[in-house]
Amino acid sequence: MPKRARGALSLLLGLTLVVSACGTTSENAGGGPAEPKPCGGAGGKYTIGVSQANVAEPYRERMDADIRKAAAGVPQFTVNFADAQQDNSKQVEQVENFLTQQIDLLIISPNEATPLTSVVKKAYEQGVPVLVLDRKVNGDSFTSFIGADNFDIGRRAGEFVAESLLPGGGKVAELKGLAGSSPAKERSDGFKLGIGGKNIEIVASADGDWLRDKGRQQADALLKGTPGIQVVYAHNDPMGEGAYLAAQDAGLTGIKVVGIDGLPIEAGGIKAVEAGRLAATFVYPTGGKEAVEAARKILVDCQQVPKVQGLPIERVTKENAAEVYARLNAGG
């Protein structure tokens, strides 16, 4: 593992402080709950609020489905979902509504970090355990972050491009996620490290906001405005699929596209790799099942959970796509 990546991992692990059940400690520098709530245990009933950034993204739709499926196995849980539709103000309002309803635990995937930080901190400081999924908030006023390492997944995408697609160097266009979301910055920074020193240049970039249609529009403009692009690196698979269609429309059949997410569904990135529309994708687990497991430990088992819960990532190419798809769908 490169030195810089090791440093990032060390920093991540360094944050792995342990907090008490129901968020009852004040170990976080950002402030803890004012009045610790007693743990109700197995005999209680609990309402969980799930605040989703934007269900229009297939990845987030799958995340909600994973939460719903896992929660069905915990009879003490009732789960209510809210969709912010990529609107920061709406997501703040929805979390405020959850707090008014006196939920027992909040699961949130923030649309953008900075606009959602205050309301997440408010929930945490009111004694509501907060599980942050995939996208981060600023500071550490939350119970646990659950997600894969977005910097590392970007680095691995860059290394794949350098080793397999452009071994002699070349030109890349980058389709970025929503500018204020933490994965967009980390996937971009990691990719730059992965292609570092390999004579590869990012000659054009644009924000696709994680959306397939916008990604297609932006890719169309990049490909037509910047001659010589050989590879498109998209921060998620839907934008990558949009870039593939834009290249086809422009008659640029030789362009390779790399995405991230690797959803194991018919419309997901793994099948796109099998079909040849994407040269590769990288599995980024939704964390839905892990979030429900953490909620169960906190509310039902009265146990501690780690401050940071990392999830595994995996590269998918045509050689292993069918095997990965079958494995990730094993067991229903």
Side-chain angles (χ1 to χ4, degrees):
M1 182 181 298
K3 183 177 181 180
R4 183 171 174 182
R6 291 200 302 273
L9 181 59
S10 297
L11 178 61
L12 189 68
L13 293 176
L15 290 171
T16 309
L17 305 175
V18 176
V19 296
S20 297
C22 299
T24 55
T25 71
S26 57
E27 293 182 41
N28 298 293
E35 295 292 337
K37 293 182 177 179
C39 179
K45 293 292 184 182
Y46 308 101
T47 300
I48 297 172
V50 177
S51 175
Q52 188 56 267
N54 181 27
V55 180
E57 301 168 31
Y59 177 84
R60 303 193 170 279
E61 185 178 11
R62 176 63 182 244
M63 182 187 288
D64 280 5
D66 288 346
I67 292 171
R68 193 174 286 109
K69 181 179 179 181
V74 186
Q76 293 92 343
F77 285 175
T78 297
V79 183
N80 297 325
F81 292 85
D83 175 16
Q85 299 178 321
Q86 216 171 52
D87 184 327
N88 293 320
S89 297
K90 179 178 285 189
Q91 191 165 27
V92 169
E93 181 180 344
Q94 290 172 341
V95 174
E96 294 277 10
N97 287 339
F98 278 147
L99 296 179
T100 300
Q101 296 164 11
Q102 299 186 319
I103 58 171
D104 297 292
L105 183 141
L106 173 67
I107 298 174
I108 182 169
S109 194
N111 186 49
E112 292 183 87
T114 298
L116 271 300
T117 293
S118 293
V119 78
V120 166
K121 183 177 181 181
K122 178 179 178 179
Y124 180 70
E125 292 185 347
Q126 285 185 2
V128 177
V130 180
L131 305 178
V132 180
L133 275 185
D134 171 39
R135 299 182 186 178
K136 298 173 182 173
V137 292
N138 301 328
D140 58 2
S141 291
F142 54 85
T143 305
S144 183
F145 170 78
I146 302 171
D149 187 333
N150 278 298
F151 181 88
D152 195 47
I153 209 167
R155 177 188 63 80
R156 292 183 60 174
E159 290 177 348
F160 172 78
V161 170
E163 294 166 2
S164 301
L165 302 182
L166 299 174
K171 296 181 178 180
V172 174
E174 183 178 15
L175 278 177
K176 299 179 178 179
L178 188 67
S181 59
S182 56
K185 182 178 187 311
E186 292 166 354
R187 291 180 184 184
S188 183
D189 291 346
F191 183 81
K192 289 170 185 170
L193 177 65
I195 62 172
K198 304 294 175 57
N199 195 31
I200 295 173
E201 182 182 5
I202 299 174
V203 295
S205 65
D207 296 337
D209 293 352
W210 306 113
L211 302 174
R212 176 189 174 113
D213 289 346
K214 186 167 183 180
R216 182 175 183 175
Q217 295 169 3
Q218 296 284 38
D220 180 71
L222 295 179
L223 294 173
K224 290 178 178 175
T226 309
I229 291 172
Q230 298 158 283
V231 171
V232 176
Y233 165 53
H235 288 189
N236 72 357
D237 293 334
M239 293 192 299
E241 292 261 37
Y244 171 81
L245 293 173
Q248 294 292 305
D249 291 343
L252 302 171
T253 56
I255 289 182
K256 303 296 184 184
V257 181
V258 174
I260 290 175
D261 279 352
L263 283 181
I265 61 176
E266 283 294 328
I270 297 176
K271 284 295 184 183
V273 171
E274 272 194 271
R277 298 191 299 276
L278 300 181
T281 186
F282 292 79
V283 175
Y284 188 97
T286 68
K289 180 179 71 174
E290 290 79 4
V292 173
E293 176 60 20
R296 186 187 61 77
K297 287 181 179 178
I298 294 170
L299 298 173
V300 178
D301 299 338
C302 303
Q303 292 181 0
Q304 299 177 341
V305 297
K307 187 71 175 176
V308 176
Q309 301 182 58
L311 301 176
I313 58 180
E314 182 173 9
R315 187 174 80 178
V316 180
T317 62
K318 201 150 188 170
E319 286 70 28
N320 69 343
E323 182 274 322
V324 173
Y325 187 89
R327 171 162 42 85
L328 294 181
N329 282 296

